[in-house]
């Protein structure tokens, strides 16, 4: 691995980008479009069923050139090569980062520590497929001889958000005989409400936890087990509980037979794990063939990412444009708006993927960074969000770069509703970009004059110049979704490399976990230890107010 420690903000191109931002910030995208009738053709890319339009950004050819220089200064190509080759680029945990290996075809090979890992990946996929086929065919029988009808995935974070999002998006491909539930919250109402809809004799629980040490998941899994044992015997657990984990001893300790465990490896990060056995509920829902198409879509994006020059590389361009706003414009957030009901959980999944990866204030070698890193990722499904927070995007004071995601074809044709959806999506990106001028507003206001005009005119103006990317899928198919997801994964990687952070650890989530376990002990014993006045006050309030 390269030992060159690059201080990115000390590279000359960093200062040149700041200077370039100062020189170009007055430019309005409307002018850029007027100057260059080819802007859409030049600033859009197509890869199979995925089109990226990045023309509605505050960038010129020079901006993109400088950003690519920044990527070179950060040795992006070198880090891409190291990731792909399985070097231990997750330095703090001394792990390789090989989620892209999960998407390799069976005939490929990739050596890690002298061993080809592709056969192991495909061996697990084959076990998952054989299990999924048995469940889907009604051959996997529960304790009373009934086939599985409900599947409950118990997991949290990457062991929940990824499969849940993909499952929602790919519902049109679902086996209607099976109902899926995803339980993540330690709040008992989540599991309790799901169990109310389940019949123990026909329910399959998937306990999904890479570490098999995550308290929320284990607590929910134990509660599910207790519920199940009200109806069945200990020996029946094997037919109703399976595990997905990289920790076989902990799975065994929990009481799940390791024959019913689907494993994955420490080189798969939780938030990048939907391609692994963590995708089991998705495979059960859509079948092994469709799941293979999902993997193939991811592999197609990997190939594009690893082999395409930066100037035509979708994840690289998305990453660099994001850095442009975040680092050089000081934009703090980035919004993701899927104009697709099935993709409504995408913002939450990307939020974890991005914020857990790049929400770091210290560089990969432990150095304190004195610039902002990962943005706050947020978003909601399109159209609904137009009636919620778009006011701020159009007329607020902040720069909010957005991604709009839309399918060109729907699985659910219903009158002209899909066309209305598309029109709304495109209209929003146009309105955000062009805004509305004083002359246009005056024309709209007609005869209005005097004080009334003075009050209304500024309120009806839209400054525009709000940037957005539009990602158009031909249709939300497993393949296209695979491309979309892998594109975001690589975008996050690109940004992590530029900012010099380790995108693959997550030390920041540990502290709260430790404190929670200490506080739980105190709440159980009723002995409140020394805390700040607020925490101690809240603890005492709970002990007094709780009647359970
Ligand atoms: O939130 C921290 C985290 O470790 C995530 O990275 C991970 O996706 C999640 O918890 C669940 O972890 P596990 O799969 O080990 O239960």
């Amino acid at each position: 691995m390269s030992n060159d420690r690059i201080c990115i903000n000390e590279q000359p191109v960093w200062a040149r980008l700041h200077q370039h931002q100062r020189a170009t910030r007055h430019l309005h995208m409307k002018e850029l479009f007027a100057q260059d009738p080819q802007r859409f053709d030049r600033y859009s890319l197509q890869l199979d069923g995925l089109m990226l339009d990045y023309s509605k950004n505050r960038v010129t050819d020079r901006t993109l050139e400088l950003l690519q220089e920044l990527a070179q200064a950060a040795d992006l190509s070198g880090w891409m090569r190291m990731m792909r080759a399985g070097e231990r680029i997750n330095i703090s945990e001394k792990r390789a980062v090989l989620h892209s290996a999960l998407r390799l075809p069976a005939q490929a090979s990739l050596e890690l520590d002298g061993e080809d890992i592709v056969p192991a990946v495909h061996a697990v996929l084959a076990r998952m497929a054989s299990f999924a086929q048995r469940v889907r065919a009604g051959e996997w029988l529960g304790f009373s001889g009934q086939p599985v009808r409900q599947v409950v995935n118990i997991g949290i974070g990457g062991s929940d958000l990824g499969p849940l999002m993909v499952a929602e998006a790919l519902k049109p491909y679902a086996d209607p005989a099976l109902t899926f539930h995803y339980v993540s919250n330690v709040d008992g109402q989540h599991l309790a409400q799901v169990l109310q809809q389940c019949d123990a004799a026909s329910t399959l629980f998937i306990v999904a936890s890479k570490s098999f040490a995550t308290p929320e998941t284990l607590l929910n899994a134990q509660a599910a087990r207790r519920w199940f044992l009200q109806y069945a015997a200990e020996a029946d657990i094997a037919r109703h509980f399976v595990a997905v984990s990289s920790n076989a001893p902990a799975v065994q300790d929990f009481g799940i037979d390791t024959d019913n465990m689907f494993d994955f490896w420490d080189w798969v990060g939780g938030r990048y794990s939907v391609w692994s056995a963590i995708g089991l509920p998705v495979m059960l829902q859509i079948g092994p063939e469709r799941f293979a198409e999902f993997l193939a879509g991811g592999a197609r994006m990997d190939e594009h990412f690893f082999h395409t020059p930066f100037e035509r590389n979708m994840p690289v361009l998305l990453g660099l444009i994001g850095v442009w706003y975040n680092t050089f414009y000081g934009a703090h957030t980035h919004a993701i708006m899927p104009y697709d009901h099935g993709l409504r959980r995408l913002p939450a999944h990307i939020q974890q993927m991005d914020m857990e990866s790049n929400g770091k204030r210290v560089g990969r070698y432990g150095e304190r960074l004195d610039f902002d890193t990962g943005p706050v990722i947020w978003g909601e499904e399109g159209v609904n969000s137009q009636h919620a927070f778009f006011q701020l995007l159009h007329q607020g004071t902040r720069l909010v770069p957005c991604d709009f995601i839309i399918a060109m074809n729907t699985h659910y044709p219903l009158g002209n509703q899909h066309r209305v959806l598309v029109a709304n999506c495109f209209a929003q990106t146009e309105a955000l970009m062009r805004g509305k001028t004083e002359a246009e507003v005056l024309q709209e206001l007609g005869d209005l004059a005097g004080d009334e005009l003075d009050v209304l005119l500024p309120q009806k103006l839209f400054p525009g110049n709000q940037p957005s990317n539009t990602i158009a899928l031909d249709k939300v198919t497993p393949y296209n979704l695979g491309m979309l997801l892998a594109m975001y994964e690589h975008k996050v990687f690109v940004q992590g490399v530029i900012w010099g952070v380790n995108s693959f650890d997550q030390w920041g989530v540990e502290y709260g976990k430790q404190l929670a376990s200490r506080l739980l002990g105190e709440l159980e014993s009723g002995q409140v230890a020394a805390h700040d006045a607020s925490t101690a006050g809240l603890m005492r309030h709970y002990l007094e107010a709780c009647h359970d």
Side-chain angles (χ1 to χ4, degrees):
M1 180 172 323
S2 152
N3 272 327
D4 298 341
R5 298 185 181 194
I6 297 159
C7 289
I8 195 67
N9 55 336
E10 288 172 13
Q11 302 297 306
V13 65
W14 186 271
R16 289 218 303 284
L17 272 158
H18 272 297
Q19 207 175 9
H20 177 70
Q21 189 273 342
R22 282 194 294 276
T24 57
R25 70 181 163 209
H26 63 279
L27 282 178
H28 199 290
M29 282 187 273
K30 236 175 10 182
E31 294 159 34
L32 298 175
F33 275 101
Q35 283 160 16
D36 178 7
Q38 307 302 318
R39 189 173 166 89
F40 171 75
D41 296 332
R42 296 198 309 111
Y43 287 3
S44 60
L45 292 162
Q46 175 95 35
L47 186 68
D48 296 346
L50 186 153
M51 197 268 273
L52 166 66
D53 169 18
Y54 60 98
S55 61
K56 289 193 184 96
N57 279 296
R58 296 189 192 181
V59 296
T60 63
D61 288 356
R62 182 67 187 141
T63 320
L64 295 174
E65 258 169 44
L66 285 169
L67 287 168
Q68 285 164 46
E69 259 183 62
L70 183 72
Q72 275 148 14
D75 191 22
L76 176 59
S77 312
W79 285 97
M80 284 161 78
R81 248 192 326 271
M82 288 190 279
M83 172 160 84
R84 194 161 152 254
E87 290 201 35
R88 289 180 156 66
I89 61 167
N90 176 355
I91 297 171
S92 68
E93 296 180 311
K94 300 188 179 63
R95 288 178 184 167
V97 176
L98 279 173
H99 43 274
S100 58
L102 299 168
R103 317 189 270 244
L104 284 172
Q107 62 277 17
S109 67
L110 181 68
E111 284 209 355
L112 182 66
D113 299 331
E115 209 177 297
D116 186 359
I117 57 173
V118 178
V121 166
H122 280 269
V124 174
L125 281 171
R127 281 189 62 225
M128 287 164 65
S130 128
F131 175 68
Q133 267 148 356
R134 287 178 69 194
V135 172
R136 286 164 62 86
E139 290 164 17
W140 181 279
L141 303 178
F143 64 85
S144 67
Q146 284 189 53
V148 172
R149 286 288 169 256
Q150 301 93 29
V151 178
V152 182
N153 189 80
I154 300 178
I156 198 164
S159 301
D160 168 71
L161 289 164
L164 169 59
M165 187 283 285
V166 173
E168 282 298 330
L170 299 181
K171 251 191 190 150
Y173 301 89
D175 179 343
L178 295 169
T179 306
F180 291 82
H181 306 275
Y182 289 79
V183 174
S184 52
N185 200 326
V186 76
D187 182 342
Q189 63 181 303
H190 196 176
L191 179 63
Q193 285 174 6
V194 165
L195 293 179
Q196 276 168 6
Q197 301 167 55
C198 293
D199 167 17
S202 58
T203 299
L204 174 74
F205 292 95
I206 302 174
V207 186
S209 173
K210 178 179 167 185
S211 58
F212 228 78
T214 302
E216 294 88 339
T217 298
L218 295 185
L219 207 60
N220 275 326
Q222 274 148 1
R225 194 173 187 272
R226 280 197 304 276
W227 173 84
F228 176 77
L229 289 176
Q230 291 173 349
Y231 308 96
E234 193 81 31
D236 299 324
I237 283 184
R239 308 219 53 82
H240 291 265
F241 281 77
V242 300
V244 178
S245 184
S246 61
N247 185 351
V251 169
Q252 221 159 9
D253 281 355
F254 180 84
I256 296 180
D257 191 336
T258 44
D259 281 352
N260 292 337
M261 169 182 153
F262 300 87
D263 54 349
F264 61 114
W265 307 270
D266 71 355
W267 41 263
V268 182
R271 51 198 177 271
Y272 301 93
S273 63
V274 63
W275 318 91
S276 71
I278 290 290
L280 182 65
V282 177
M283 194 191 267
L284 285 165
Q285 179 183 294
I286 65 174
E289 295 79 15
R290 298 288 192 193
F291 193 77
E293 289 168 20
F294 171 64
L295 296 179
R300 179 73 180 99
M301 186 54 73
D302 294 335
E303 193 191 292
H304 166 82
F305 177 59
F306 289 126
H307 300 293
T308 308
F310 289 173
E311 66 269 22
R312 284 183 284 114
N313 191 314
M314 293 185 181
V316 170
L317 287 166
L318 284 178
L320 291 177
I321 292 170
V323 169
W324 173 235
Y325 296 122
N326 189 318
T327 303
F328 300 99
Y329 267 94
H332 292 160
T333 81
H334 182 97
I336 298 178
M337 259 81 70
Y339 274 67
D340 187 289
H341 187 63
L343 287 174
R344 66 192 175 283
R345 296 299 293 160
L346 183 76
H349 176 56
I350 306 293
Q351 187 176 61
Q352 187 210 9
M353 188 203 294
D354 197 321
M355 293 174 75
E356 210 172 63
S357 296
N358 289 343
K360 317 269 163 79
R361 61 216 282 275
V362 168
R364 58 172 89 89
Y365 303 110
E367 71 282 18
R368 176 71 208 263
L369 301 173
D370 51 9
F371 49 84
D372 280 334
T373 59
V376 174
I377 302 289
W378 61 288
E380 256 298 333
E381 67 181 307
V383 176
N384 299 27
S385 47
Q386 288 170 208
H387 298 271
F389 53 75
F390 268 53
Q391 165 63 36
L392 183 146
L393 302 184
H394 285 293
Q395 290 189 312
T397 55
R398 297 174 193 281
L399 175 68
V400 184
C402 303
D403 290 349
F404 286 78
I405 301 163
I406 177 93
M408 299 295 91
N409 296 284
T410 179
H411 289 282
Y412 301 98
L414 202 62
N416 71 340
Q417 286 194 213
H418 186 251
R419 198 160 290 136
V420 172
L421 184 73
V422 174
N424 269 280
C425 174
F426 294 169
Q428 291 299 326
T429 71
E430 183 174 32
L432 287 168
M433 186 279 288
R434 68 186 299 280
K436 200 187 272 182
T437 62
E438 195 169 303
E440 288 169 317
V441 177
L442 282 172
Q443 202 178 8
E444 264 180 32
L445 291 176
D447 295 339
L448 205 69
D451 285 353
E452 230 184 319
L453 177 66
D454 292 345
V455 170
L456 217 49
L457 178 63
Q459 303 193 50
K460 293 226 164 198
L461 289 178
F462 286 69
N465 223 12
Q466 280 280 19
S468 65
N469 299 301
T470 302
I471 299 152
L473 302 179
D474 280 354
K475 199 169 189 174
V476 182
T477 60
Y479 184 85
N480 291 339
L481 183 65
M483 284 202 292
L484 178 73
L485 217 55
M487 181 178 77
Y488 272 106
E489 291 181 352
H490 293 317
K491 173 204 161 175
V492 169
F493 172 67
V494 167
Q495 297 194 329
V497 169
I498 304 287
W499 292 318
V501 300
N502 177 0
S503 301
F504 304 104
D505 59 12
Q506 58 283 320
W507 300 106
V509 299
E510 297 305 322
Y511 186 42
K513 286 188 201 170
Q514 286 165 9
L515 282 192
S517 115
R518 210 161 80 203
L519 263 60
L520 175 63
E522 293 172 29
L523 292 178
E524 274 170 350
S525 68
Q527 303 295 312
V528 178
H531 294 279
D532 62 87
S534 162
T535 310
L538 290 167
M539 302 270 287
R540 279 195 296 272
H541 178 71
Y542 170 80
L543 290 170
E544 282 159 24
C546 171
H547 307 300
D548 292 343

